[in-house]
């Protein structure tokens, strides 16, 4: 697999009990690409994104990060990563942003941002702090560096969470509905930050319901329906002129909201 | 001897037992906490460990501490294997027996308290640590245990207070800690009320200081629960 592929999944199948959420999804993000993943609730888009850092382990299919395929094994009939150390190493090359932020509440914003670079990547503390401060500056959170998450608005928490992801110097950023838990008036400030990152040419996969935003920042768009990729292509196609009826209906319904 | 002289004399005699009381409480509580965390984590990690810990907690929590002290002090010596073991020089001494019983007992309660703390750790905090590439060990050391122990602290404070009082049971195996000394004074003077009042006052002051310290620790560890400074 080419080094140019930041993240790739091949033939992913994921089941939760009797429910098959992913029915064979193949997708690759080249370095510099911003892929928007859209689809109705239950179409499997969040599950797809969560399979990449192995938060969900697919029953079939492969995940590759930075060209390295995650080795899997069967243990008592359950598929799992063969080497936890490999998974940890590959995860540290990704930045994942959750719908509900998931900041560590017992730490300040700055402590959240420097935690993994220091304790996972073992980079020198002084360097990490300096870099964290410039990242916080970038996401407009410099003045909140010593605040605790509980004292911040949702939009501020999410921007801190994005800073935490950036501090890992990730090969790719994964956004799992980053604005879905926010009050409407706070959505804009978070989208602004993500847009800046897209303009820097960062590799991103974004699961989102914000169609106008997705159309604007993505270089490639994927429409998921019922656990399969129903349609994919350049954003001009997916958001303006979809070829499948389902995608057309879905996009129209959401753009007109 | 005036009434006041008797009381000050009693107090000063009782206070000679304070070091033993404090040693028993401090050592059993710290040893018990380590065991409690290990058991709570092991219990969450594996099925066989879970059953082992559940059995341990069932027995240690379901029987009187007094009986546990008796069993260790009087009972262990019945076994030749124990008498021949390298631990016998320790296990024949009441101080070590009391310490062992207190530690094992508080570990059982403590593991339940820590388990509650572990259960309260938000799944999202764990996922955020996992996607950052944390190993299991780092995850527990940096994220899970700091959150769990903060959650457990108020309940653990109760356990600490109970343990300070439980050290008085060590008097029953001849240890001259505060309660043991109180007994001795009463058998000389037959003035049970005054002596026990003095002993009770010492425990009361100890626990007052302890609860203050726990409250201060809680405040120190939980700046995120206070109102924002700015």
């Amino acid at each position: 697999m080419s080094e140019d592929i930041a993240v790739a999944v091949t033939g992913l199948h994921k089941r939760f009990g009797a429910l098959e959420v992913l029915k064979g999804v193949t997708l690759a993000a080249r370095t510099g690409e911003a892929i928007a993943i859209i689809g109705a609730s239950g179409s499997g888009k969040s599950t797809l994104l969560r399979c990449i850092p192995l938060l969900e382990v697919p029953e079939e299919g492969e995940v590759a990060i930075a060209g390295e395929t995650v080795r899997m094994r069967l243990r008592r009939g359950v598929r799992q990563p063969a080497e936890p150390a490999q998974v940890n190493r590959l995860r540290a090359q990704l930045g994942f942003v959750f719908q509900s932020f998931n900041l560590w509440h017992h730490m300040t914003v700055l402590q959240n941002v420097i935690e993994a670079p220091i304790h996972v990547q073992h980079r020198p503390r002084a360097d990490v702090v300096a870099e964290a401060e410039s990242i916080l500056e970038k996401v407009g959170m410099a003045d909140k560096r010593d605040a605790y998450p509980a004292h911040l608005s949702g939009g501020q928490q999410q921007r801190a969470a994005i800073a935490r992801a950036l501090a890992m110097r990730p090969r790719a950023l994964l956004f799992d509905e980053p604005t879905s838990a926010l009050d409407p008036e706070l959505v804009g400030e978070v989208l602004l930050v993500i847009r800046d990152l897209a303009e820097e040419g960062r590799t991103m996969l974004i699961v989102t319901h914000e169609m106008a935003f997705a159309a604007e920042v993505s270089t490639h768009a994927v429409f998921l329906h019922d656990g399969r990729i129903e349609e994919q292509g350049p954003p001009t196609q997916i958001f303006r002129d979809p070829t499948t009826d389902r995608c057309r209906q879905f996009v129209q319904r959401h753009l007109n909201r | 001897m005036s009434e006041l002289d008797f009381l000050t004399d009693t107090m000063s005699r009782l206070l000679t037992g304070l070091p033993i009381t404090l040693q028993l409480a401090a050592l059993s509580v710290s040893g018990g906490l380590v065991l409690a965390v290990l058991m709570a984590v092991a219990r969450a990690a594996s099925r066989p460990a879970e059953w082992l810990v559940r059995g341990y907690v069932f027995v240690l929590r379901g029987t009187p501490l007094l009986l546990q002290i008796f069993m260790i002090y009087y009972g262990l010596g019945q076994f030749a294997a124990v008498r021949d073991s390298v631990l016998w020089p320790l296990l024949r001494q009441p101080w070590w027996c009391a310490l062992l019983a207190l530690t094992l007992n508080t570990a059982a309660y403590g593991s339940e308290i820590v388990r509650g703390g572990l259960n309260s750790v938000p799944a999202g905090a764990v996922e955020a640590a996992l996607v950052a590439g944390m190993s299991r060990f780092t995850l527990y050391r940096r994220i899970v245990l700091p959150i769990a122990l903060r959650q457990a602290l108020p309940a653990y404070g109760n356990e600490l207070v109970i343990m300070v009082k439980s050290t008085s049971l060590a008097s029953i195996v001849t240890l001259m800690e505060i309660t043991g000394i109180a007994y001795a004074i009463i058998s000389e003077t037959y003035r049970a009320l005054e002596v026990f009042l003095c002993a009770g006052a010492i425990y009361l002051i100890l626990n007052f200081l302890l609860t203050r310290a726990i409250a201060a620790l809680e405040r120190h560890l939980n700046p995120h629960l206070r109102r924002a400074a700015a």
Side-chain angles (χ1 to χ4, degrees), chain A residues 50-127:
Chain A
R50 289 169 57 82
C51 279
I52 296 171
L54 282 302
L55 284 180
E56 310 291 351
V57 180
E59 283 86 31
E60 287 173 51
E62 285 187 341
V63 174
I65 295 162
E68 185 176 337
T69 301
V70 177
R71 287 180 285 280
M72 306 291 277
R73 67 168 177 188
L74 275 178
R75 190 151 177 265
R76 296 195 198 107
V78 179
R79 196 164 184 249
Q80 58 176 215
E83 299 155 47
Q86 186 204 21
V87 174
N88 293 339
R89 181 166 49 78
L90 293 179
R91 279 171 172 166
Q93 300 183 40
L94 300 173
F96 199 100
V97 177
F98 296 88
Q99 178 177 347
S100 45
F101 333 131
N102 294 352
L103 291 172
W104 297 307
H105 280 248
H106 61 299
M107 298 180 182
T108 65
V109 167
L110 183 69
Q111 287 168 343
N112 266 277
V113 175
I114 65 176
E115 176 66 23
I118 290 176
H119 292 282
V120 176
Q121 296 177 329
H122 303 294
R123 283 152 53 191
R125 185 183 184 91
D127 298 2

Side-chain angles (χ1 to χ4, degrees), chain A residues 197-219:
Chain A
L197 296 173
E199 277 165 13
E200 287 175 11
R202 287 185 184 265
T203 314
M204 314 200 285
L205 287 94
I206 313 171
V207 170
T208 184
H209 284 293
E210 300 283 337
M211 291 304 135
F213 168 74
E216 184 189 343
V217 302
S218 65
T219 59

Side-chain angles (χ1 to χ4, degrees), chain A residues 50 53 55 88 91-92 94 96 98 102-107 115-116 119-120 148 150-151 164 168, chain B residues 124-125 127-135 138 141-143 146-147 150 223-228:
Chain A
R50 289 169 57 82
L55 284 180
N88 293 339
R91 279 171 172 166
L94 300 173
F96 199 100
F98 296 88
N102 294 352
L103 291 172
W104 297 307
H105 280 248
H106 61 299
M107 298 180 182
E115 176 66 23
H119 292 282
V120 176
Y148 286 89
H151 301 149
R164 177 174 68 176
M168 301 296 287
Chain B
E127 286 197 339
L130 290 177
V131 294
M134 284 192 194
S135 63
T138 308
R141 184 172 65 89
R142 297 292 310 172
I143 307 295
I147 295 175
R150 278 176 172 80
H224 59 293
L225 298 182
R226 274 179 249 153
R227 305 241 251 128

Side-chain angles (χ1 to χ4, degrees), chain A residues 103-240:
Chain A
L103 291 172
W104 297 307
H105 280 248
H106 61 299
M107 298 180 182
T108 65
V109 167
L110 183 69
Q111 287 168 343
N112 266 277
V113 175
I114 65 176
E115 176 66 23
I118 290 176
H119 292 282
V120 176
Q121 296 177 329
H122 303 294
R123 283 152 53 191
R125 185 183 184 91
D127 298 2
V128 171
V129 170
E131 190 173 320
E133 280 169 344
S134 78
I135 293 171
L136 286 172
E137 187 81 45
K138 190 156 95 176
V139 301
M141 289 290 291
D143 57 328
K144 296 291 183 188
R145 50 168 271 172
D146 295 321
Y148 286 89
H151 301 149
L152 300 174
S153 73
Q156 290 170 329
Q157 288 191 52
Q158 192 60 299
R159 284 185 283 145
I162 292 171
R164 177 174 68 176
L166 287 172
M168 301 296 287
R169 298 177 173 170
R171 294 286 304 261
L173 283 165
L174 314 182
F175 294 91
D176 185 10
E177 302 198 30
T179 59
S180 297
L182 296 175
D183 290 338
E185 73 267 27
L186 300 177
V187 169
E189 64 186 59
V190 171
L191 293 185
L192 217 58
V193 168
I194 302 175
R195 178 179 298 132
D196 283 349
L197 296 173
E199 277 165 13
E200 287 175 11
R202 287 185 184 265
T203 314
M204 314 200 285
L205 287 94
I206 313 171
V207 170
T208 184
H209 284 293
E210 300 283 337
M211 291 304 135
F213 168 74
E216 184 189 343
V217 302
S218 65
T219 59
H220 186 83
V222 173
F223 172 66
L224 228 59
H225 176 76
D226 197 22
R228 290 191 182 85
I229 294 180
E230 178 95 357
E231 181 170 351
Q232 61 177 318
T236 46
Q237 172 197 329
I238 298 297
F239 297 102
R240 304 242 165 71

Side-chain angles (χ1 to χ4, degrees), chain B residues 15 27 40 76 79 91 104 142 149 162-163 171 174 185 210:
Chain B
L15 284 174
L27 293 176
L76 282 184
F79 298 99
L91 287 176
L104 296 180
R142 297 292 310 172
L149 292 179
I162 290 170
M163 285 310 291
S171 62
T174 74
I185 299 174
L210 183 60

